[in-house]
Amino acid sequence: MAGKPDIPSEKPGKKSSAVRSYEKEKRRKENEDELEEGLEDTFPASDPVSVTQPTTPGKPNDR
C-alpha cells in the first residue's frame, strides 16, 4: 500500500506504552487540578474560626 506508514499490529485492546504513559500523565494532571480547586475553595485555611462572642461597649447590666 503506497502512502500509508507501516504500523505494527497489536492485539485488540492492548495499549502501547506511549498510550499508557499519556493516560497516566493525563490522570495525574486531572488529580492535581482537582486538588488545586479544592484548596482554592478552602482558602484561607490558616485563619482559625472565631469562637468568641462579640461584645458591645457600655456599663454592665444591673440585675
Side-chain angles (χ1 to χ4, degrees):
M1 288 187 218
K4 288 190 176 184
D6 215 9
I7 300 174
S9 61
E10 294 187 11
K11 295 178 185 174
K14 185 175 181 182
K15 297 177 183 177
S16 70
S17 61
V19 171
R20 288 191 308 271
S21 176
Y22 169 77
E23 289 174 344
K24 182 178 177 181
E25 182 65 22
K26 186 176 175 184
R27 282 191 305 272
R28 187 186 65 76
K29 177 72 172 131
E30 288 171 354
N31 289 342
E32 284 181 3
D33 290 345
E34 288 177 13
L35 175 61
E36 186 66 28
E37 183 179 340
L39 291 173
E40 287 174 0
D41 289 346
T42 60
F43 180 81
S46 61
D47 290 351
V49 177
S50 177
V51 293
T52 60
Q53 294 294 323
T55 59
T56 56
K59 73 177 198 173
N61 293 337
D62 291 332
R63 290 190 192 208

